[in-house]
Amino acid sequence: MSEAQLFEVLRHSARPDIVDAIERLVLDASDRKLNRVNALAFAAEHGFDEEQTINAFLHASRLGLFEISWNVLCPGCGGVLDANTSLKTVQSDTYSCALCAAGYEPTLDEMVEVTFTVSPRVRHIEAHNPHELPALEYFRQIYWGSGVDLPEEGYEATVDQFILEALELPAGEKAVVSLQLPAEYVIIFEPVTHAALFLDVKGEPSKERQTISLVFDRMHRHSEPMILRPGPLRILMENHTEVRTLPSICVANDVLHGLLGQRRPFLTAKRLLSNQTFRDIHRTDTIDVDQRLKITSLTFLFTDLRGSTALYERVGDLAAFDLVRTHFSILHEIVGAEAGAVVKTIGDAVMATFPTPDRALVAAMRMREAMVSLNKERGNDDLLLKIGIHEGPCIAVSLNERQDYFGQTVNIASRVQHLANSHEIFATGSVLDNPRATELLTTHGLKPQTHHVSLRGITDEIDIFAIP
């Protein structure tokens, strides 16, 4: 199938105007713009809805137009510590950032970004051969994550304000760099092997040449800063890897900090796992059966139909099944529209996830209204929906060949739903602590009623809020 035909197929599953913009990107944009595309930045640039843009890129990836990358990020500097073609290969318990001299336990909230790179079968770009990129482009396209908002214009001129020296060191080669050390905090950083050496330059200037040695061998070692005096410095470098390295010597000044401090939203793994299109497309091929991936905050919504057994007895199995199936279809559509995903159905119950509490709350209110409308159409109250919402930490796992979630947050959300009566939405304090959720209730003139309750299997009593 030709490239034009692929885009035509894509228009059947994504908004045509978004597809048109993606096609223009592939045909006309510079190579750099087709590497690790930030879907949220793309949506903002064109004024598109974020969820619809994410869905378009997901469908484009399914057709082979783009390749998905799951990049583990440093929360401090925004650098990519590990790039993966699948979430299944995010296996380490900790990831270390040499530039920040810190180690981090990975979470799917802000530490794993999801980006889209054009497939080499569609268009070959420079980043498909990263070890041939110029040093500054390697930093921009490979090392920094898509959340670091590097300037389109004046990037090189900005970098020149903190770089003292930069070079390419071929595999197995040695080099000597001589320079004058200023009385500043200096960092020698190599982005391919993620090696760093910190120089605290202070005191009286020295006329004698100081000498240090560096070996690049992919061994992540943290060491205390070396204290040197301003003046001449000779740096001996050896590349013990099989690829070229790109050591740079820079001053940790305000320009550097300002450049890295410019951030923008990016698509997180947490958000993608809670995307209905992603779950529909990938289903089981997301998390390995032995993986346990932490999420620090995810919102769970459980629903159930009250009196469904009586419904089956009253209208018969076939009619009840059709009605329940219609209810599932409505809830599924609402969940997807509010940036959520249905994790599973259990009998007449639904378990769904949302990236933030406010989206879950909007979905719950829409669900309740939809059931009222459906009952009015039928002239009865057969569909009485109970809804519970809770937010907190959890673990993403693979259970029964399906991406699922585990933890106390899930248990509490399920218990809260069981407490609700028909037409009620019960939410916990962690949901209402969200400023956007509170603003939403205020806008709708809703005043939640507080209940202090005990939940089965939960030691401490908690406050839950009934939303009228």
Side-chain angles (χ1 to χ4, degrees):
M1 191 177 295
S2 70
E3 180 183 307
Q5 290 173 318
L6 288 173
F7 279 109
E8 193 57 40
V9 171
L10 182 59
R11 287 183 180 87
H12 293 291
S13 53
R15 262 182 48 180
D17 56 339
I18 298 178
V19 177
D20 290 344
I22 294 175
E23 185 173 20
R24 289 194 299 272
L25 179 76
V26 171
L27 294 176
D28 303 330
S30 65
D31 280 12
R32 174 165 50 82
K33 287 184 175 290
L34 285 164
N35 179 54
R36 292 185 182 168
V37 177
N38 179 329
L40 303 190
F42 184 85
E45 179 184 351
H46 293 84
F48 295 143
D49 176 79
E50 287 185 350
E51 292 305 313
Q52 292 176 339
T53 302
I54 294 168
N55 294 344
F57 274 103
L58 287 171
H59 284 296
S61 299
R62 178 178 60 85
L63 292 172
L65 291 166
F66 287 86
E67 296 175 342
I68 299 178
S69 181
W70 306 76
N71 308 317
V72 181
L73 305 178
C74 170
C77 67
V80 175
L81 306 180
D82 190 22
N84 304 271
T85 57
S86 167
L87 189 56
K88 289 184 177 183
T89 55
V90 180
Q91 295 279 0
S92 297
D93 293 331
T94 59
Y95 286 86
S96 298
C97 177
L99 189 56
C100 294
Y104 303 95
E105 183 181 16
T107 67
L108 300 185
D109 300 72
E110 298 294 331
M111 271 194 68
V112 181
E113 70 168 3
V114 183
T115 58
F116 302 87
T117 298
V118 69
S119 169
R121 295 186 299 274
V122 174
R123 175 176 159 183
H124 184 81
I125 59 173
E126 293 174 334
H128 289 147
N129 302 104
H131 295 298
E132 296 178 9
L133 283 169
L136 290 187
E137 284 304 309
Y138 187 94
F139 272 101
R140 173 152 61 178
Q141 297 190 43
I142 306 300
Y143 185 76
W144 302 119
S146 69
V148 180
D149 194 8
L150 298 172
E152 290 294 331
E153 304 294 334
Y155 168 68
E156 293 83 0
T158 302
V159 171
D160 284 342
Q161 295 180 58
F162 56 80
I163 290 286
L164 298 177
E165 193 74 49
L167 70 152
E168 288 191 21
L169 189 57
E173 296 293 320
K174 301 178 182 180
V176 177
V177 176
S178 297
L179 69 150
Q180 287 290 123
L181 268 183
E184 304 271 4
Y185 199 84
V186 175
I187 303 173
I188 304 174
F189 182 63
E190 201 294 298
V192 179
T193 61
H194 291 239
L197 180 65
F198 303 95
L199 308 178
D200 190 3
V201 185
K202 56 188 178 181
E204 290 294 321
S206 172
K207 292 184 179 179
E208 296 183 5
R209 185 166 62 187
Q210 304 162 97
T211 301
I212 59 175
S213 299
L214 278 153
V215 173
F216 305 121
D217 56 8
R218 297 191 184 278
M219 297 296 290
H220 297 275
R221 291 183 293 264
H222 295 310
S223 59
E224 293 298 318
M226 295 182 64
I227 298 176
L228 299 176
R229 293 165 63 186
L233 175 67
R234 187 169 182 259
I235 308 172
L236 308 178
M237 300 181 184
E238 296 184 39
N239 180 5
H240 288 187
T241 71
E242 296 77 31
V243 296
R244 62 142 194 198
T245 53
L246 301 168
S248 297
I249 305 157
C250 61
V251 177
N253 57 20
D254 291 341
V255 179
L256 173 61
H257 293 136
L259 184 72
L260 301 186
Q262 298 296 318
R263 301 298 173 93
R264 61 183 179 179
F266 59 88
L267 179 59
T268 64
K270 179 185 89 168
R271 182 166 179 177
L272 195 60
L273 292 184
S274 285
N275 177 281
Q276 190 63 56
T277 298
F278 176 79
R279 291 188 70 98
D280 291 343
I281 291 175
H282 292 274
R283 299 186 182 276
T284 61
D285 190 33
T286 305
I287 298 175
D288 193 59
V289 67
D290 295 322
Q291 275 182 296
R292 307 291 184 266
L293 297 170
K294 291 188 176 182
I295 299 175
T296 58
S297 172
L298 192 63
T299 304
F300 291 88
L301 181 150
F302 280 82
T303 74
D304 198 8
L305 285 175
R306 182 185 178 189
S308 58
T309 301
L311 170 65
Y312 278 80
E313 290 183 357
R314 186 167 62 255
V315 304
D317 288 348
L318 185 59
F321 174 76
D322 287 340
L323 190 56
V324 170
R325 187 174 60 178
T326 299
H327 131 275
F328 276 139
S329 177
I330 292 171
L331 299 193
H332 197 285
E333 181 180 345
I334 291 173
V335 169
E338 295 301 331
V342 173
V343 178
K344 57 187 173 185
T345 58
I346 311 156
D348 300 326
V350 169
M351 172 185 173
T353 59
F354 297 84
T356 55
D358 58 303
R359 301 304 291 261
L361 197 53
V362 171
M365 294 164 62
R366 290 183 57 187
M367 290 173 181
R368 182 165 62 180
E369 292 171 1
M371 292 304 103
V372 170
S373 297
L374 187 58
N375 284 333
K376 283 184 178 179
E377 290 176 12
R378 292 176 48 81
N380 55 44
D381 287 327
D382 282 337
L383 298 176
L384 303 175
L385 200 62
K386 304 188 301 177
I387 304 174
I389 311 172
H390 181 50
E391 175 273 339
C394 63
I395 299 174
V397 297
S398 179
L399 289 174
N400 301 319
E401 298 184 346
R402 176 177 53 201
Q403 191 252 307
D404 208 333
Y405 299 92
F406 179 83
Q408 191 73 309
T409 298
V410 183
N411 296 334
I412 292 175
S414 177
R415 304 281 194 274
V416 168
Q417 177 270 312
H418 284 298
L419 292 175
N421 295 315
S422 58
H423 297 306
E424 282 187 329
I425 299 170
F426 274 13
T428 60
S430 62
V431 174
L432 269 64
D433 285 342
N434 178 269
R436 286 178 293 184
T438 303
E439 181 182 353
L440 178 69
L441 294 176
T442 302
T443 301
H444 285 78
L446 299 176
K447 296 182 179 180
Q449 302 299 312
T450 309
H451 301 276
H452 199 60
V453 302
S454 296
L455 299 177
R456 180 171 57 87
I458 309 300
T459 303
D460 298 326
E461 291 188 341
I462 68 169
D463 287 329
I464 60 172
F465 300 83
I467 300 169

